[in-house]
Amino acid sequence: MNDTNNRQMPFAHELQKNWLSLTLVAWALIAMCIIWQRWPSIWWLSLSDTDDNMRLMQVRALLGGQGWYDLRQYRLNPPAGFDIHWSRIVDLPIAALILAFKPFVGTVMAEKLACGIAPLLPLSVTMAGLAFTVRRLVSPVAWPLALIFLLLCTATMLMFMPERIDHHGWQLACLSITVAGLADQHQRRGGIVVGLVSAVSLSIGLEMLPYAAGAGAITALRWVWDRGESDRLSVYGLALAGGSAIGYVLFASSANAVLRCDALTPVWLSVMIEAGTLLFVLARINPDGRPIRLALAAAAGIAIITAFALVFPQCVGRPEQVSPELARNWLNNVREAKPIYDHPWRNALPVAALPIIGVIGAMIATWRARRSDRFVPWSAVLLFALLAGGLMLWQVRAGAAAQLLAVPGAVALGWIVFPWCLGHRSMLVRVFGTVASFIIISGVFVGFAVKYIAPDKPSLRTKAVNRAGASCPTIPVLGVLNRLPAQTIFTFVDLGPRLITLTHHSALAGPYHRNGDAILDVQHAFTGSADQFRAIARRHGATLLLTCPNMAESTVYTVRAKQGFYAKLAKGEAPDWLEPVALPAKSPLRLWRIR
């Protein structure tokens, strides 16, 4: 036994001492495996999401000389362009990778490599944040289990896969570091980290605003509970206010200088500065009585909310500020913006399984830590996990964050169950019990059950839609259009970003809410009469019409307007002013010249 302990102690010591370097080594190995596995997607630049295509176009524009603060995409709805509400933060690593690879492999291959590698960079930050949190709250040697559980978070890991170059991966990385900052026992360091990372996340986009607000509330509640937490609260307030101001000055686009509600504009900048300043003042006052501190914190929260509602009443509703028609016809139907209970159970359960387990684990860990210095940080993790679970009842897109935030609680639960199984006298319990408990605690059992017990049997219609969605937006299919002179092509909203990414043509619209008029023009054109289509196309200067039969968006038009322009076109009833343009025999596309 002593020899075994002597052999194990150096290994445990290495896990404790070199956890960060070992985490980065693990990330490098995982990244290489993912790149090898996903190489076909990298080679074919399979940017399957419209936002990923638009992100690449944004980087191309930056490298092509477009202004730092000009984020309009001028090849959508030319010549005015499409206003994109993002920032340049996520563009930077992609642009840096392109510039690094370009001298060796050329522009085309450099873009492919950059789009394959860039999403894996925030994965390293996410892994380090989770490792730190688990080391602090569970055990100094428990962090490898956190990395394993993270790899099994299907919704979370999708955000780090090659070609997923949109901003969600970086925002999840910020969330991981936020939790690590809340778990940090060093007050000043923890407060600065949480404040700055919240500011970075908000500068990228407002998707994580509820978590930033939650982090601020938790930091304030820690001070309410313990007057000695004043240093954490004061530096957090300064970091949040100062970091948001710096983020706005450096990265807010020219279009975000107005009072919009969907990005870090003067609206949310003023809120962050007000919140940070008030929290700093509270920490400096730092009264003795807990009821007094609670009353002051509540008053600060009410003041922030009241000022927001009075000064920016237009932002009390939906931040997108779209018209009722656009909300009804488009935004309300976006799948990721629907509650998790509105999704098929076979899709919802695998996403929700680990968050439920993580909440259970965090509850148990919080109870067990009630008399130690881990009680407050565990309470913070539990509150964050509950917040993420609640947000899934609002929008399923919160599933990736919910799975990420469930990892510490799942590790804590596993750290209780696994040693018990491994130390049991029965070999069956040691072997099968450990395996079974791992499958259950990691949540993968739900995926197995859905896949093998109740396999999905898509209908012929669904298969046709999936086939069209997979074949039409590819390089071999769309690349043929480059044989034609560059011009504006009238096509589906969801196909527009991919079209301008793979060809030299322009398109009318993409699924971006600030450009609701153009989106509605496309919808009206396809669901209205042939004459209405022709008038809208002429107004936008479109000279070609491109469709992908059975693409998901096309089914919407055929259902909504059975006698509309697109429904008749799908039946072969094309007006005489549409001239067919020949494409390869097996092309899934249909192309006409608008005369």
Side-chain angles (χ1 to χ4, degrees):
M1 178 64 82
N2 290 335
D3 291 339
T4 301
N5 288 338
N6 289 334
R7 288 194 300 269
Q8 291 177 346
M9 285 179 62
F11 178 69
H13 179 70
E14 287 298 318
L15 287 179
Q16 295 183 47
K17 180 181 178 182
N18 300 314
W19 68 273
L20 183 56
S21 58
L22 291 174
T23 297
L24 295 178
V25 169
W27 166 78
L29 294 174
I30 292 168
M32 287 189 289
C33 290
I34 291 175
I35 290 173
W36 177 80
Q37 180 188 20
R38 300 275 181 143
W39 181 252
S41 297
I42 297 173
W43 176 259
W44 290 109
L45 196 65
S46 299
L47 302 168
S48 59
D49 190 274
T50 54
D51 288 355
D52 299 321
N53 286 277
M54 192 54 58
R55 178 67 64 182
L56 178 57
M57 291 302 295
Q58 188 166 288
V59 173
R60 285 176 178 173
L62 175 64
L63 296 178
Q66 188 166 320
W68 176 262
Y69 295 106
D70 182 8
L71 270 71
R72 294 190 73 83
Q73 177 47 246
Y74 291 99
R75 285 177 55 199
L76 286 178
N77 194 30
F82 246 46
D83 181 18
I84 306 300
H85 64 286
W86 302 337
S87 76
R88 292 286 188 196
I89 294 178
V90 180
D91 295 350
L92 293 179
I94 304 171
L97 288 169
I98 291 175
L99 293 175
F101 288 124
K102 183 177 178 179
F104 305 100
V105 297
T107 302
V108 174
M109 193 63 202
E111 287 184 350
K112 293 179 179 179
L113 291 174
C115 292
I117 296 172
L120 293 165
L121 299 180
L123 178 61
S124 65
V125 180
T126 304
M127 293 170 65
L130 284 177
F132 179 92
T133 301
V134 169
R135 286 183 73 255
R136 167 75 177 96
L137 298 183
V138 181
S139 169
V141 295
W143 60 266
L145 187 58
L147 305 187
I148 294 172
F149 280 176
L150 174 62
L151 295 178
L152 297 175
C153 294
T154 54
T156 307
M157 288 301 297
L158 281 176
M159 303 303 170
F160 302 112
M161 289 297 103
E163 309 304 295
R164 196 70 174 101
I165 58 173
D166 195 21
H167 52 264
H168 301 298
W170 283 108
Q171 288 185 316
L172 289 173
C174 290
L175 185 59
S176 176
I177 298 300
T178 298
V179 177
L182 292 174
D184 194 349
Q185 68 270 35
H186 298 289
Q187 289 193 32
R188 289 183 176 273
R189 182 177 65 188
I192 291 173
V193 165
V194 174
L196 288 180
V197 170
S198 296
V200 170
S201 181
L202 294 173
S203 299
I204 293 173
L206 292 187
E207 286 85 352
M208 293 297 177
L209 177 61
Y211 300 101
I218 290 170
T219 303
L221 287 174
R222 293 179 75 159
W223 168 75
V224 170
W225 183 261
D226 181 3
R227 183 173 181 267
E229 289 280 322
S230 59
D231 281 351
R232 183 189 301 271
L233 184 63
S234 62
V235 296
Y236 164 78
L238 291 177
L240 177 65
S244 298
I246 294 172
Y248 176 81
V249 170
L250 294 180
F251 297 106
S253 69
S254 300
N256 285 347
V258 298
L259 300 181
R260 297 297 298 257
C261 312
D262 57 354
L264 188 62
T265 66
V267 172
W268 293 107
L269 175 62
S270 62
V271 172
M272 295 305 126
I273 292 177
E274 178 191 8
T277 302
L278 285 176
L279 293 178
F280 174 77
V281 171
L282 293 185
R284 292 300 91 194
I285 297 174
N286 202 22
D288 284 334
R290 188 177 291 171
I292 299 177
R293 294 195 298 273
L294 178 60
L296 289 175
I302 293 172
I304 294 169
I305 295 172
T306 302
F308 177 78
L310 292 177
V311 180
F312 309 115
Q314 74 275 17
C315 296
V316 174
R318 298 190 68 147
E320 298 89 355
Q321 296 177 289
V322 299
S323 68
E325 182 185 7
L326 189 62
R328 181 176 62 254
N329 290 348
W330 171 60
L331 199 56
N332 292 345
N333 300 312
V334 176
R335 286 183 298 174
E336 66 178 14
K338 291 184 177 182
I340 192 169
Y341 52 78
D342 278 351
H343 289 254
W345 66 270
R346 66 177 64 256
N347 298 332
L349 284 182
V351 175
L354 186 61
I356 293 173
I357 295 168
V359 167
I360 295 172
M363 286 180 174
I364 295 173
T366 303
W367 174 256
R368 288 165 60 95
R370 63 190 182 278
R371 294 187 178 89
S372 72
D373 61 351
R374 298 180 182 180
F375 173 73
V376 173
W378 261 124
S379 299
V381 171
L382 174 59
L383 290 173
F384 250 37
L386 289 170
L387 172 62
L391 288 175
M392 283 198 298
L393 299 177
W394 173 49
Q395 293 185 350
V396 74
R397 72 178 75 191
Q403 287 188 345
L404 172 68
L405 294 172
V407 169
V411 172
L413 189 59
W415 212 247
I416 297 171
V417 176
F418 298 157
W420 181 86
C421 292
L422 291 171
H424 201 276
R425 291 179 298 177
S426 170
M427 185 185 70
L428 291 176
V429 175
R430 290 198 302 271
V431 177
F432 295 104
T434 302
V435 173
S437 60
F438 177 84
I439 292 174
I440 293 173
I441 293 174
S442 64
V444 299
F445 74 96
V446 177
F448 290 146
V450 169
K451 184 176 181 179
Y452 295 108
I453 298 177
D456 187 17
K457 296 180 180 179
S459 64
L460 293 177
R461 182 61 174 164
T462 301
K463 290 180 179 179
V465 171
N466 293 339
R467 188 162 51 247
S471 59
C472 287
T474 60
I475 291 177
V477 171
L478 286 177
V480 174
L481 301 178
N482 285 321
R483 300 173 184 174
L484 301 172
Q487 51 199 298
T488 299
I489 297 179
F490 200 115
T491 190
F492 302 143
V493 173
D494 288 341
L495 194 56
R498 187 62 170 166
L499 175 68
I500 67 173
T501 300
L502 297 186
T503 75
H504 55 222
H505 299 289
S506 298
L508 263 67
Y512 304 101
H513 60 265
R514 285 193 179 184
N515 309 277
D517 290 343
I519 296 174
L520 287 175
D521 276 350
V522 173
Q523 294 181 350
H524 294 162
F526 279 130
T527 58
S529 66
D531 290 340
Q532 186 176 358
F533 173 90
R534 194 180 190 188
I536 293 174
R538 182 183 296 116
R539 188 169 72 247
H540 285 276
T543 53
L544 292 173
L545 167 61
L546 178 70
T547 68
C548 172
N550 294 320
M551 191 173 176
E553 185 178 340
S554 72
T555 64
V556 175
Y557 302 136
T558 56
V559 170
R560 285 181 181 171
K562 292 182 171 56
Q563 298 301 317
F565 170 74
Y566 182 79
K568 291 183 177 181
L569 190 67
K571 298 175 184 177
E573 302 175 17
D576 55 9
W577 44 264
L578 283 183
E579 176 186 344
V581 178
L583 293 173
K586 295 184 178 181
S587 175
L589 300 174
R590 298 293 181 268
L591 184 66
W592 293 267
R593 182 169 286 106
I594 305 173
R595 295 186 300 190

